[in-house]
């Protein structure tokens, strides 16, 4: 096993970058999916939003299960052995490398985030199989070329890569800029690579109200977008069936048989859409 990390996650310089006075998206999401890595300020805004829009809890859980289905599909059916997970967030159960390496023990995964709270927990993302490899990069989505250069230390960018950007692009306020960042990342990957995206959407008044409440809390804003805008991220790619759909509806039968998917059969309308596209 060969594991990399950009710096010591336990360092005092990293801890000093963590602001516990304002809600934080990674900690807030961790609270919603049942984790333990959050502060009181995150729980407070989480409970407030549950009152406004309880459906956001379903968004969090179904989005996580979509990650598992997408990774299993790519590893098992498309033979993808390399994953670049940008906007990693806090580790929970069934992280990208765990799902991928159940199918393909030799899979290589690079996690990318520039968040100090994620960095302090990055060791949990580095438990690779002996045959595979994992790495964590303290890098910025806003510099795609630097991300690709650093990822090339672990991944072979001449071979197909699955680019995962889940529940992250909403933090890029300008839609044109968000599309450009995705385009630049995909431009550095070869044909046969795949793009995997999920994000919350402005598909109900409740979700819009929840987004407004979160953005008023002092946290880094997260902008919900229309379904057509989510679809726009896949321009130039070949969409995998069933296309851009609500996260519970993306290939719900793709289950690895390990119990990790959980199923979304009892979930109603979810204000989050996703898709997987292949670079021709």
């Amino acid at each position: 096993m060969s594991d990399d990390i950009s710096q010591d996650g336990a360092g005092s310089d990293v801890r000093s970058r963590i602001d516990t006075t304002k809600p934080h998206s990674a900690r807030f999401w961790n609270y919603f999916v049942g984790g333990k890595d959050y502060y009181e300020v995150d729980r407070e805004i989480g409970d407030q939003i549950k009152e406004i829009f309880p459906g956001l809890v379903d968004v969090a859980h179904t989005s996580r299960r979509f990650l598992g289905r997408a990774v299993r599909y790519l590893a098992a059916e498309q033979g993808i052995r390399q994953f670049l997970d940008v906007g990693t967030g806090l580790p929970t159960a069934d992280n990208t490398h765990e799902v991928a390496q159940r199918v393909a023990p030799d899979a290589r995964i690079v996690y990318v985030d520039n968040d100090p709270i994620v960095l302090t927990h990055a060791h949990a993302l580095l438990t690779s199989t002996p045959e595979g490899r994992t790495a964590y990069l303290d890098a910025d989505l806003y510099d795609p070329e630097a991300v690709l250069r650093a990822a090339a230390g672990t991944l072979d960018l001449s071979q197909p890569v699955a680019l995962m950007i889940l529940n992250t692009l909403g933090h890029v306020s300008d839609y044109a800029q968000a599309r450009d960042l995705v385009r630049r990342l995909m431009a550095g990957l070869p044909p046969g690579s795949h793009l995997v995206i999920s994000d919350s959407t402005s598909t109900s008044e409740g979700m819009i109200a929840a987004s407004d409440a979160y953005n008023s809390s002092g946290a880094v804003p997260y902008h919900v977008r229309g379904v057509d805008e989510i679809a726009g991220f896949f321009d130039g790619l070949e969409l995998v069936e069933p296309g851009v759909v609500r996260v519970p509806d993306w290939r719900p039968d793709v289950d690895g048989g390990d119990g990790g998917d959980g199923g979304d059969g009892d979930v109603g309308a979810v204000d989050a859409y996703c898709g997987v596209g292949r670079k021709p």
Side-chain angles (χ1 to χ4, degrees), residues 135-220:
Y136 177 89
L137 303 177
D138 186 8
D140 195 335
L141 169 66
Y142 289 91
D143 192 349
E145 291 74 25
V147 168
L148 291 168
R149 285 195 300 271
T154 301
L155 306 179
D156 178 358
L157 299 188
S158 70
Q159 297 298 314
V161 175
L163 173 62
M164 318 276 296
I165 315 179
L166 306 184
N167 306 103
T168 296
L169 290 167
H171 287 301
V172 183
S173 60
D174 183 78
Y175 177 60
Q177 182 181 25
R179 285 190 59 169
D180 183 62
L181 294 173
V182 172
R183 179 192 61 78
R184 288 159 63 189
L185 284 166
M186 288 301 296
L189 304 178
S193 294
H194 287 70
L195 173 66
V196 183
I197 285 177
S198 68
D199 262 308
S200 299
T201 49
S202 55
T203 41
S204 77
E205 292 182 2
M207 175 56 88
I208 294 170
S211 176
D212 289 344
Y214 180 78
N215 293 344
S216 298
S217 70
V220 175

Side-chain angles (χ1 to χ4, degrees), residues 8-223:
D8 179 5
S12 59
D13 59 326
V14 175
R15 291 195 298 271
S16 69
R17 291 163 54 193
I18 300 173
D19 185 353
T20 62
T21 66
K22 297 177 180 178
H24 184 282
S25 61
R27 301 189 314 243
F28 168 83
W29 210 246
N30 185 262
Y31 172 61
F32 266 25
V33 298
K36 298 180 180 178
D37 297 312
Y38 57 85
Y39 293 98
E40 182 65 15
V41 67
D42 307 299
R43 186 193 63 77
E44 288 175 354
I45 187 63
D47 288 344
Q48 178 186 342
I49 288 177
K50 284 181 185 179
E51 291 290 326
I52 297 170
F53 182 56
L56 193 56
V57 176
D58 289 336
V59 168
H61 284 282
T62 58
S63 295
R64 192 69 190 179
R65 290 194 284 268
F66 163 68
L67 179 154
R69 296 197 304 277
V71 171
R72 281 193 292 273
Y73 164 77
L74 291 169
E77 297 190 34
Q78 298 302 313
I80 298 295
R81 295 295 180 264
Q82 303 188 107
F83 294 81
L84 179 58
D85 189 331
V86 178
T88 302
L90 284 165
T92 59
D94 284 336
N95 300 293
T96 298
H97 74 285
E98 294 169 318
V99 178
Q101 290 180 346
R102 283 193 202 113
V103 177
D106 60 337
R108 293 188 170 207
I109 295 87
V110 171
Y111 293 103
V112 180
D113 213 308
N114 70 335
D115 194 305
I117 190 69
V118 178
L119 180 56
T120 62
H121 292 272
H123 62 279
L125 298 171
L126 299 175
T127 55
S128 176
T129 58
E131 305 94 325
R133 189 174 181 185
T134 59
Y136 177 89
L137 303 177
D138 186 8
D140 195 335
L141 169 66
Y142 289 91
D143 192 349
E145 291 74 25
V147 168
L148 291 168
R149 285 195 300 271
T154 301
L155 306 179
D156 178 358
L157 299 188
S158 70
Q159 297 298 314
V161 175
L163 173 62
M164 318 276 296
I165 315 179
L166 306 184
N167 306 103
T168 296
L169 290 167
H171 287 301
V172 183
S173 60
D174 183 78
Y175 177 60
Q177 182 181 25
R179 285 190 59 169
D180 183 62
L181 294 173
V182 172
R183 179 192 61 78
R184 288 159 63 189
L185 284 166
M186 288 301 296
L189 304 178
S193 294
H194 287 70
L195 173 66
V196 183
I197 285 177
S198 68
D199 262 308
S200 299
T201 49
S202 55
T203 41
S204 77
E205 292 182 2
M207 175 56 88
I208 294 170
S211 176
D212 289 344
Y214 180 78
N215 293 344
S216 298
S217 70
V220 175
Y222 184 96
H223 305 275

